[in-house]
Amino acid sequence: MRLDRFLAETTELTRSLAKRAVQRGEVNVNGVRIKQAATQVAPTDRVEWQGQRLELVGLRYVMLHKPVDVECSARRGLYPRAVDLIDLPRPERLQVVGRLDVDTTGLVLLTDDGQWSHRITSPRRRCPKVYHATLADPLAGEALTQAVERFAEGILLEGEEKPTLPAKLAMQDSHTAELTIHEGRYHQVKRMFAALGNRVVALHRHSVGPLELGGLEQGQWRELRDEEIIAF
């Protein structure tokens, strides 16, 4: 790995600022001052910047129970970000795997492993995601039967050219729906129920693939176990 990239991945420096820091002689590798940003460093090398030893953090895989009023955006906005809740080195490197709306709660995965993230979010993989939706109007009887059939066939959402992939709808009670989808379109669950003439007043993501929140309370997080990581 190039020295300037190493600095960019282990400090708050951008790649260009890391290059300048090297050129100014602020970086030592194995006790030797290096001024060439393109110098290659190995995992066993001791790299120091301004006297502080730097170490790569490696790839992380995290599960978060996202509360309401928390954004899944990488940029800072009106609300706290999901990454702000993660107490790990350089949490800003973590990317959300399938965003949730600011008013939606539930399971959020975060990682700095782009390939792993793609395996989960790629439409070709059809990774199942289970949501619990609280509806404004009751859904039962013949209306429920028709809704189950429409969701199973796929619904053409407003402004789109292709219908949704087949989804499984079941009701926990007259106002609480459990919906399993296999893609992640913009506001998909809310738009699917809107197509039925109903409205989602609360939404919670229960699971992604084989992963469920378990005993995690809102705002809590944990790193995934090896068997959970390789499940995707």
Side-chain angles (χ1 to χ4, degrees):
M1 178 184 295
R2 284 175 54 113
L3 183 55
D4 55 349
R5 179 184 170 189
F6 185 96
L7 261 68
E9 293 198 9
T10 54
T11 70
E12 301 295 329
L13 298 174
T14 63
R15 190 73 174 266
S16 60
L17 290 177
K19 184 176 182 179
R20 295 174 190 173
V22 175
Q23 293 171 341
R24 289 195 298 266
E26 298 177 2
V27 181
N28 289 350
V29 178
N30 298 326
V32 178
R33 182 169 298 176
I34 304 295
K35 293 189 176 183
Q36 299 297 321
T39 300
Q40 294 291 315
V41 293
T44 55
D45 288 335
R46 182 184 182 92
V47 180
E48 296 178 325
W49 173 50
Q50 296 181 335
Q52 176 185 0
R53 184 171 183 179
L54 307 177
E55 295 186 79
L56 291 171
V57 296
L59 298 176
R60 286 83 55 83
Y61 308 84
V62 174
M63 170 192 294
L64 167 70
H65 188 164
K66 189 187 90 63
V68 294
D69 295 339
V70 170
E71 292 183 322
C72 290
S73 172
R75 296 184 177 183
R76 295 191 181 277
L78 297 176
Y79 301 94
R81 303 172 302 168
V83 294
D84 295 330
L85 304 180
I86 310 301
D87 186 19
L88 287 175
R90 302 211 62 196
E92 71 279 357
R93 285 184 50 188
L94 296 169
Q95 300 294 318
V96 172
V97 184
R99 297 181 177 184
L100 292 179
D101 298 335
V102 68
D103 59 350
T104 300
T105 63
L107 176 58
V108 168
L109 299 176
L110 303 97
T111 185
D112 36 23
D113 184 341
Q115 293 183 345
W116 188 79
S117 175
H118 179 72
R119 289 201 298 271
I120 298 173
T121 59
S122 173
R124 294 182 180 181
R125 295 276 183 165
R126 300 196 176 188
C127 177
K129 292 167 280 289
V130 179
Y131 290 83
H132 294 163
T134 304
L135 306 179
D137 301 316
L139 187 56
E142 183 62 25
L144 173 58
T145 300
Q146 294 177 359
V148 170
E149 293 175 352
R150 288 191 62 187
F151 278 31
E153 293 171 354
I155 293 180
L156 184 61
L157 302 176
E158 183 177 356
E160 300 203 13
E161 297 180 353
K162 293 183 179 181
T164 60
L165 293 175
K168 181 180 179 181
L169 172 65
M171 298 300 294
Q172 297 181 332
D173 56 49
S174 62
H175 286 77
T176 307
E178 180 176 278
L179 182 64
T180 303
I181 62 176
H182 298 83
E183 52 191 333
R185 303 191 192 186
Y186 180 71
H187 293 327
Q188 180 173 342
V189 174
K190 296 176 181 177
R191 294 166 68 200
M192 290 178 75
F193 281 105
L196 300 181
N198 211 321
R199 181 170 60 89
V200 174
V201 297
L203 188 61
H204 175 83
R205 184 155 67 194
H206 174 71
S207 63
V208 176
L211 299 183
E212 298 182 357
L213 285 168
L216 280 185
E217 300 292 336
Q218 287 195 19
Q220 292 183 335
W221 64 275
R222 69 171 176 85
E223 294 190 74
L224 298 185
R225 298 182 290 271
D226 289 344
E227 62 270 21
E228 294 172 326
I229 297 169
I230 64 175
F232 294 95

